[in-house]
Amino acid sequence: MSDVTAEELMAVTASRLLADHKVVFAGVGMPLLASAVARHRQAPHLTIVLEGGIIGTTLLPGKLPISTNEMRAAYGAQMLTDITDIFLYAQRGFFDYGFLGAAQVDMYGNINTSVIGSMERPRVRLPGSGGANDIISLCNEVLIVTQHEPRRFVERVDFITSPGYLSGGDSRARAGLVGGRLGAVVTDLALLDFEPGSRRMRLRGLQAGVTVGQVREQTGFDLLVGDDIEELVPPSAQELAIYRELRDGPATAEPAADAGDLADRVPAGPA
Amino acid sequence: MSDVTAEELMAVTASRLLADHKVVFAGVGMPLLASAVARHRQAPHLTIVLEGGIIGTTLLPGKLPISTNEMRAAYGAQMLTDITDIFLYAQRGFFDYGFLGAAQVDMYGNINTSVIGSMERPRVRLPGSGGANDIISLCNEVLIVTQHEPRRFVERVDFITSPGYLSGGDSRARAGLVGGRLGAVVTDLALLDFEPGSRRMRLRGLQAGVTVGQVREQTGFDLLVGDDIEELVPPSAQELAIYRELRDGPATAEPAADAGDLADRVPAGPA
Amino acid sequence: MEPVTVMAARAEREAAGRPVADKRMTAEDAAALIRDGDHVAIGGTLYSRTPMALVFALLRQRRRHLTVSRPLACYEIELFLATGALDRIVTSWVGIGLPWGLAPVFRHYVERGEARYDEWSHLAMGLRYKAGAMGVPFLPSLTMLGSDLAGALGLQTVDCPYTGEQLAAVPALNPDVALIHAHRADMFGNVQVDGYRHMDADMAKAARTVIVSAERIVSPEEIAASPAQTMLPHFAVDAVVAAPYGSYPHECYGLYGPDFGHFTAYAAATKEQGPAGALRYVEENVDGHTGFAGFIAAAGPERLAALAADAGELMGR
Amino acid sequence: MEPVTVMAARAEREAAGRPVADKRMTAEDAAALIRDGDHVAIGGTLYSRTPMALVFALLRQRRRHLTVSRPLACYEIELFLATGALDRIVTSWVGIGLPWGLAPVFRHYVERGEARYDEWSHLAMGLRYKAGAMGVPFLPSLTMLGSDLAGALGLQTVDCPYTGEQLAAVPALNPDVALIHAHRADMFGNVQVDGYRHMDADMAKAARTVIVSAERIVSPEEIAASPAQTMLPHFAVDAVVAAPYGSYPHECYGLYGPDFGHFTAYAAATKEQGPAGALRYVEENVDGHTGFAGFIAAAGPERLAALAADAGELMGR
């Protein structure tokens, strides 16, 4: 399957990490798309939860939400509750996965969506945490999906909006954080995890045709490299078809130009 | 109006204390009946709240509830929520009155519905607080209605289930209790309040034909007597008619024997 | 009280996977999930939406050393006591209902020290379940302060780090099992309830094992047609039991009223015979039938129709 | 953050009587209840069920030194900033919506230090309103720990007196004013909402003054016909404003979708002109009409019908 976009590659690769019968608390954009792909493939019993207070959304293909609080996000849901309540489910330990994008992530998995520069006088004031801080603090296991660029993969984030392993080792547990074991980071170049002892980010798999050197080049810190680097299987025709139908609607229908266009451009944002 | 029962006398007297436009958190039995009478007379805009999570019940005459959680309690309600939520409204300060019965009350307005004797080895294990502890702790002003007997009006309760003025003076505030200013105690003999400084129970009014001596005789502690003792106006024909219709249903209908019979026998219980 | 750490409660919750499966089973199979010594939280309140079909199934098992908690407890407490199943009661009120006076079987066991009654305020019970449901070890409150209940329970206080105000710290309660009766559930355990919800949602979210009985088992599509009415999602539920009239002789909002005549007969028997009366009640009404459906059949269609009519009148039907 | 004592918040609540009266008024009269310097909490989230008719009425007043809080904030923040009304933003996220990228007017003011942005996590915002609604000065939580948000805000911790575990202490927020948009309300202020409730209920219960706009003003009898759907009781509401399409150009669950074209035009104008574009938007769309109905009329029946059709498709109509 030719001309696979970076988004498609990331979403499909990430979708494979989701096991059946689990509950995923997904941000909009790639996390939601990846979760929806998983539901249509290996994880038909995956429950997708969105922070608008939505449990078990099934989504209407071609009508994907761009906010977790809008009607489209609630399509087919089994339950609607409120925002605070849904996060309290997370705090109780009900959500197997938290699934996030990241504007800037560091070697310990800390995410910054607050400021470039200082908080007092930011060079760029980013939108803020949204639910990302809560998702990474409260879900049982956290997955991150984002594009692999040096400006995104930095040694230390300017500001820890959403805590990963903080300064590594047991610093996360010492801060009182109970949930939020960081499982994997998926990018258009690689699959990464965190080394158990140091909690530093570690290369585990490469997208087809990508070299370790290329990943290092696109990473703004000294990346650990695991012992057996897996070559990731490229998206199958079936996976791409599922992804594209979800994004654009059934192929037979008129292309839902606006919605598809929007979904394409969805950056990492409020989870 | 002859043959006025003690319950009728208490309920009607108590009903007059409720001002229009206020919100009353009422226990079942006399507090609820008195609140309903007030709604049909001087306080048509009184909102009755019940701990089952019921706001604005209007009640079906002759079908009065004997539990605050049953369907009959919800008749005509504007809002249904859950139990915890309704008490949290009280904690926020939304409820002008808390309205309780009392199995045993002392000179400081403390109520015992837990044990006669000791907690470890009670002589009589009473049902317990229900919502009474919360109502007296959290509502803005608390009214108590109960029969005037020495065994009910004791110097110190065996056990403070529901805190009144504790040991008097500022001891209630010192315990951290924010709401629950005790307004009045209504009995079949008298109207009482609490002296501002000492917070001891004080006689303020007498039911028609009752003397101060009779009240003292039926009170198990040294009762303060206010300066100007008011003579309480006996229940009017209108008040009694309202009360009896609420209890028994419309006079034209078949008497709802069971419900009426039950309501007659309602003692002070879970608020 | 046994403090539950957030760490422990969460670890238990995380470890207990709940696959999206057909969770329908009989009340007896569901009750078999309950072990001796468990803390069983019973949904509804007093005589409203009590999960009676599940209570009866548990009574039939003759478990031992149970703790039972409820917002306000009714005669089911006496049935557990009389069958030797119950060591400890955690609630704010115990009785059959006001007109029936003090509950003699309850008094018998508690006054003799044969069962323990931890008495909390009604709100405190609610906050205990809510803290458990929220995944925090306590919630601050202005209730129970100054009372002897606080002292008897060893209730602690906590100071607000911002205002310095002292509040009651109401400890989390994470029951081993929650029993809930609902109007509707699908086979996966998505649960809907009409009317008020008592403390059921928090109780279930706090519990390790959740058993739900429902008047009707419905399709997932029927659940999805009114998702705002869903009280519990499937991932908070372990077992689903079909139980028409599953709260009888208690009431179920909108569907049927309580059978006060049944209460009165029970109250008369226990007033006269004490624990023996309660035990006999269990032998006749629980053990005497192969399942809850037999108990319902014995109530008879006329009585059930009358109770449904009572509810209908209140609902304006 | 300004710590609010329970004593103070309660005293204020107790002192403010809310008679059961006809609370209907115009959006302009309701907005006149808001004073310079007030903390105004805005209901809904991002572009869902935003009380836009009330926001527009408030914009028209050109209040000064406001603080605005919301769960996730949309372009209304920029409108307040550009008209000089806003000193401080309290939320977890500010933007128009993901596809429109960073919000330039917001950036302009915050990056220059001309407005302050107190960034909390999304749950922390919810717990702040909830603590305010519950009448406690803080709630314990496991969120925000270890993050730089905690340090920037001066977030305190609290130790559980039972388990010794350390938790974040999320301080109560009691807004001066809450603005809420609902599907239905009666003249007394009993308010019903369809679908999810965002943080509206807690926000309103926490606030001193509560202004509710509603798509439809209905009879008290219609409210009482489905009491479990009531989100706020009349005694939590001060003013009721009739506002058909009252969230437009944002969406209202089940009734109409968001007008993304409107967003895109706004985003293009502010990308090009910065604050001047936002100010011009207010002059045209707010000041340029005598009331919100004029703004709705300008949107035109075809567009509104299309947005209603979008909602209908999602609701299976």
Side-chain angles (χ1 to χ4, degrees):
Chain A
M1 202 106 183
S2 60
D3 54 293
V4 175
T5 67
E7 281 80 7
E8 288 169 343
L9 184 59
M10 287 186 276
V12 168
T13 307
S15 78
R16 297 175 185 159
L17 301 178
L18 301 167
D20 202 14
H21 294 286
K22 300 291 187 184
V23 183
V24 58
F25 194 171
V28 284
M30 272 195 293
L32 176 57
L33 261 165
S35 302
V37 169
R39 249 182 77 83
H40 283 83
R41 225 178 52 93
Q42 83 280 8
H45 306 97
L46 182 70
T47 300
I48 302 176
V49 171
L50 297 172
E51 70 183 38
I54 294 155
I55 295 175
T57 179
T58 57
L59 302 177
L60 190 57
K63 299 274 182 181
L64 298 191
I66 51 176
S67 151
T68 53
N69 301 279
E70 60 159 290
M71 260 183 283
R72 294 185 299 193
Y75 186 80
Q78 295 158 330
M79 177 164 169
L80 300 179
T81 179
D82 65 46
I83 297 167
T84 309
D85 194 45
I86 208 77
F87 281 108
L88 295 176
Y89 273 97
Q91 185 167 271
R92 173 75 178 99
F94 277 111
F95 299 155
D96 299 294
Y97 306 114
F99 202 168
L100 292 173
Q104 192 186 57
V105 60
D106 71 17
M107 62 193 289
Y108 296 114
N110 303 302
I111 295 174
N112 175 21
T113 49
S114 295
V115 284
I116 308 296
S118 78
M119 191 49 140
E120 295 69 39
R121 209 53 193 268
R123 196 146 46 77
V124 183
R125 199 18 167 133
L126 299 168
S129 159
N133 174 286
D134 310 304
I135 287 176
I136 208 170
S137 297
L138 302 173
C139 291
N140 304 349
E141 179 181 349
V142 173
L143 308 174
I144 296 171
V145 57
T146 190
Q147 240 172 319
H148 215 129
E149 303 170 336
R151 64 179 187 96
R152 283 180 188 264
F153 283 75
V154 299
E155 184 159 342
R156 299 306 300 262
V157 289
D158 289 358
F159 186 91
I160 302 179
T161 309
S162 303
Y165 284 115
L166 296 175
S167 54
D170 64 348
S171 58
R172 182 180 170 89
R174 275 189 285 110
L177 289 160
V178 169
R181 162 175 82 257
L182 267 66
V185 179
V186 173
T187 76
D188 48 343
L189 301 183
L191 173 69
L192 308 108
D193 71 357
F194 295 86
E195 191 192 53
S198 68
R199 302 302 194 183
R200 280 180 51 186
M201 205 186 288
R202 178 174 70 176
L203 181 65
R204 293 303 300 275
L206 292 165
Q207 298 286 12
V210 175
T211 65
V212 173
Q214 284 174 308
V215 175
R216 285 206 154 124
E217 221 165 77
Q218 296 298 313
T219 304
F221 55 86
D222 186 21
L223 185 67
L224 300 183
V225 177
D227 287 338
D228 40 348
I229 302 296
E230 152 193 27
E231 170 146 4
L232 303 171
V233 178
S236 69
Q238 185 210 16
E239 288 171 318
L240 286 170
I242 292 169
Y243 176 92
R244 289 169 182 170
E245 177 170 340
L246 281 165
R247 190 191 55 192
D248 303 329
T252 49
E254 290 286 303
D258 255 35
D261 193 46
L262 293 178
D264 259 0
R265 289 183 287 133
V266 168
Chain B
M1 200 107 184
S2 61
D3 55 293
V4 175
T5 67
E7 280 80 7
E8 289 168 342
L9 184 58
M10 286 186 276
V12 167
T13 307
S15 77
R16 297 174 185 161
L17 301 178
L18 301 167
D20 202 13
H21 295 286
K22 300 290 187 183
V23 183
V24 59
F25 195 172
V28 285
M30 272 194 293
L32 176 57
L33 261 166
S35 300
V37 169
R39 248 183 77 82
H40 284 82
R41 225 178 52 94
Q42 84 279 8
H45 305 98
L46 182 71
T47 300
I48 302 176
V49 171
L50 298 172
E51 69 183 39
I54 296 154
I55 295 174
T57 180
T58 57
L59 301 177
L60 190 58
K63 301 271 181 182
L64 298 191
I66 51 177
S67 150
T68 53
N69 301 278
E70 60 159 290
M71 259 182 285
R72 295 185 298 193
Y75 186 80
Q78 294 158 329
M79 177 166 170
L80 300 178
T81 181
D82 65 45
I83 297 167
T84 309
D85 193 46
I86 208 77
F87 281 108
L88 294 176
Y89 273 96
Q91 186 167 270
R92 173 75 178 99
F94 277 113
F95 300 155
D96 300 293
Y97 306 114
F99 201 168
L100 293 171
Q104 192 185 57
V105 60
D106 71 16
M107 61 194 289
Y108 295 114
N110 303 302
I111 295 176
N112 175 21
T113 50
S114 296
V115 284
I116 309 296
S118 79
M119 191 48 141
E120 295 70 39
R121 211 51 194 269
R123 196 145 49 74
V124 183
R125 199 21 166 129
L126 299 168
S129 159
N133 173 286
D134 309 304
I135 288 175
I136 209 169
S137 297
L138 302 173
C139 291
N140 304 350
E141 178 181 350
V142 173
L143 308 174
I144 296 170
V145 57
T146 190
Q147 239 171 320
H148 216 128
E149 303 169 335
R151 65 178 185 97
R152 284 180 187 264
F153 283 75
V154 299
E155 186 158 342
R156 299 306 300 262
V157 288
D158 289 359
F159 186 92
I160 301 180
T161 308
S162 304
Y165 285 115
L166 296 175
S167 54
D170 64 348
S171 57
R172 180 180 171 90
R174 275 190 286 110
L177 289 160
V178 169
R181 161 176 84 257
L182 268 66
V185 180
V186 173
T187 76
D188 47 342
L189 301 183
L191 172 69
L192 309 107
D193 71 356
F194 295 85
E195 190 191 55
S198 67
R199 300 303 193 182
R200 281 179 53 185
M201 205 185 288
R202 177 173 72 175
L203 182 64
R204 293 303 300 275
L206 292 166
Q207 298 286 12
V210 175
T211 66
V212 173
Q214 283 173 309
V215 175
R216 286 207 153 122
E217 220 165 78
Q218 296 298 313
T219 304
F221 55 86
D222 187 19
L223 185 66
L224 300 183
V225 178
D227 286 339
D228 41 349
I229 303 297
E230 151 194 27
E231 170 147 2
L232 303 171
V233 177
S236 69
Q238 185 211 16
E239 287 170 318
L240 286 169
I242 292 169
Y243 177 93
R244 289 167 183 171
E245 177 169 338
L246 282 165
R247 189 190 57 193
D248 304 328
T252 49
E254 290 286 302
D258 256 36
D261 192 45
L262 293 178
D264 260 1
R265 289 185 285 134
V266 169
Chain C
M1 86 190 77
E2 338 67 32
V4 180
T5 66
V6 168
M7 296 292 291
R10 258 198 81 112
E12 195 177 61
R13 175 73 275 127
E14 288 193 38
R18 280 175 171 142
V20 181
D22 184 349
K23 295 171 183 164
R24 287 173 295 178
M25 59 181 81
T26 65
E28 281 61 38
D29 286 346
L33 300 172
I34 304 168
R35 301 162 302 191
D36 286 352
D38 271 356
H39 179 128
V40 180
I42 300 180
T45 311
L46 196 51
Y47 53 76
S48 297
R49 210 154 45 66
T50 308
M52 201 60 81
L54 302 178
V55 164
F56 272 36
L58 177 54
L59 283 166
R60 194 171 291 120
Q61 310 257 344
R62 295 293 198 279
R63 296 265 73 87
R64 304 275 296 162
H65 305 304
L66 297 179
T67 292
V68 164
S69 68
R70 265 203 111 180
L72 308 170
C74 191
Y75 84 130
E76 68 282 348
I77 288 295
E78 297 201 324
L79 306 183
F80 285 116
L81 286 168
T83 53
L86 192 57
D87 285 1
R88 193 179 189 174
I89 309 158
V90 181
T91 185
S92 71
W93 196 87
V94 184
I96 298 170
L98 296 181
W100 295 276
L102 300 181
V105 180
F106 158 72
R107 285 190 56 193
H108 175 95
Y109 287 93
V110 175
E111 290 171 11
R112 277 166 188 72
E114 293 171 20
R116 181 170 155 183
Y117 173 16
D118 291 350
E119 181 185 339
W120 296 79
S121 81
H122 205 15
L123 172 57
M125 285 303 301
L127 291 175
R128 295 199 65 192
Y129 293 129
K130 190 175 285 294
M134 287 172 65
V136 290
F138 78 95
L139 281 173
S141 176
L142 294 168
T143 202
M144 285 187 73
L145 294 163
S147 72
D148 287 338
L149 293 176
L153 294 163
L155 186 77
Q156 302 294 305
T157 59
V158 62
D159 292 339
C160 174
Y162 302 100
T163 67
E165 290 168 303
Q166 189 178 80
L167 297 108
V170 181
L173 197 166
N174 289 100
D176 295 306
V177 182
L179 308 180
I180 305 289
H181 185 64
H183 292 78
R184 294 172 297 284
D186 68 18
M187 66 162 99
F188 304 115
N190 293 297
V191 177
Q192 296 190 332
V193 150
D194 297 332
Y196 31 77
R197 293 179 170 188
H198 308 292
M199 298 180 187
D200 286 3
D202 286 333
M203 187 186 282
K205 288 189 271 184
R208 179 173 50 76
T209 298
V210 177
I211 303 172
V212 173
S213 61
E215 293 286 329
R216 290 195 302 125
I217 308 297
V218 301
S219 68
E221 290 71 29
E222 187 170 337
I223 298 290
S226 57
Q229 268 191 280
T230 304
M231 181 178 76
L232 292 173
H234 63 85
F235 55 73
V237 172
D238 295 282
V240 175
V241 174
Y245 284 99
S247 284
Y248 176 84
H250 290 179
E251 71 167 30
C252 187
Y253 183 88
L255 298 180
Y256 47 90
D259 184 353
F260 289 138
H262 194 95
F263 298 14
T264 298
Y266 170 84
T270 49
K271 188 171 183 182
E272 195 182 300
Q273 305 162 39
L279 185 57
R280 195 164 162 187
Y281 176 94
V282 174
E283 287 166 354
E284 282 177 11
N285 294 284
V286 180
D287 306 340
H289 301 290
T290 48
F292 194 72
F295 173 63
I296 295 299
E302 296 79 11
R303 176 165 299 206
L304 297 173
L307 300 177
D310 287 348
E313 182 186 2
L314 290 165
M315 295 295 126
R317 287 196 299 264
Chain D
M1 88 189 78
E2 338 66 34
V4 180
T5 67
V6 168
M7 295 293 291
R10 258 198 80 111
E12 195 177 61
R13 176 73 275 128
E14 289 193 38
R18 281 176 170 141
V20 181
D22 184 350
K23 295 170 183 165
R24 288 174 295 179
M25 60 182 80
T26 65
E28 282 61 37
D29 286 347
L33 299 171
I34 304 168
R35 300 162 302 192
D36 285 351
D38 271 357
H39 178 128
V40 180
I42 299 180
T45 310
L46 196 51
Y47 53 76
S48 299
R49 210 153 47 65
T50 307
M52 200 60 80
L54 302 178
V55 164
F56 273 35
L58 178 55
L59 282 165
R60 194 170 290 121
Q61 310 260 343
R62 295 291 198 280
R63 296 266 72 87
R64 302 277 296 162
H65 305 305
L66 297 180
T67 292
V68 164
S69 68
R70 264 202 110 180
L72 309 172
C74 191
Y75 83 130
E76 67 283 347
I77 288 295
E78 298 199 323
L79 307 183
F80 284 116
L81 286 168
T83 52
L86 191 56
D87 284 0
R88 191 179 191 176
I89 309 158
V90 182
T91 184
S92 69
W93 196 87
V94 184
I96 297 167
L98 296 181
W100 295 276
L102 300 180
V105 181
F106 157 72
R107 284 189 57 192
H108 175 94
Y109 287 93
V110 176
E111 290 171 11
R112 276 166 188 72
E114 293 171 20
R116 179 168 157 184
Y117 173 16
D118 290 352
E119 181 186 339
W120 295 80
S121 80
H122 206 15
L123 172 57
M125 285 304 301
L127 292 175
R128 295 198 67 192
Y129 293 129
K130 190 176 284 294
M134 287 172 65
V136 290
F138 77 95
L139 280 173
S141 176
L142 295 168
T143 203
M144 284 186 73
L145 294 163
S147 72
D148 287 338
L149 292 176
L153 294 162
L155 186 77
Q156 302 293 306
T157 59
V158 62
D159 293 338
C160 173
Y162 303 101
T163 68
E165 290 168 303
Q166 188 178 79
L167 297 109
V170 181
L173 198 167
N174 289 98
D176 294 307
V177 181
L179 307 181
I180 306 289
H181 185 63
H183 292 76
R184 295 172 296 284
D186 68 18
M187 67 163 100
F188 304 116
N190 294 296
V191 177
Q192 297 189 333
V193 150
D194 297 332
Y196 30 78
R197 293 180 171 188
H198 307 292
M199 299 181 186
D200 286 3
D202 286 333
M203 187 186 283
K205 288 190 271 184
R208 178 173 51 75
T209 297
V210 178
I211 302 172
V212 173
S213 59
E215 293 286 330
R216 291 195 300 126
I217 308 297
V218 301
S219 68
E221 290 70 29
E222 186 170 338
I223 297 290
S226 56
Q229 268 191 277
T230 304
M231 181 178 76
L232 292 173
H234 62 86
F235 54 74
V237 172
D238 295 283
V240 175
V241 174
Y245 285 98
S247 284
Y248 176 84
H250 289 180
E251 70 168 30
C252 187
Y253 183 89
L255 298 180
Y256 47 91
D259 185 353
F260 288 137
H262 193 95
F263 297 16
T264 299
Y266 171 83
T270 50
K271 190 172 181 181
E272 195 182 302
Q273 305 164 39
L279 184 58
R280 194 162 161 188
Y281 176 93
V282 173
E283 287 166 354
E284 281 177 12
N285 295 283
V286 179
D287 305 340
H289 301 290
T290 47
F292 194 72
F295 173 63
I296 295 299
E302 296 78 13
R303 176 164 298 205
L304 297 174
L307 301 177
D310 288 347
E313 183 187 1
L314 291 164
M315 296 294 125
R317 288 195 299 263

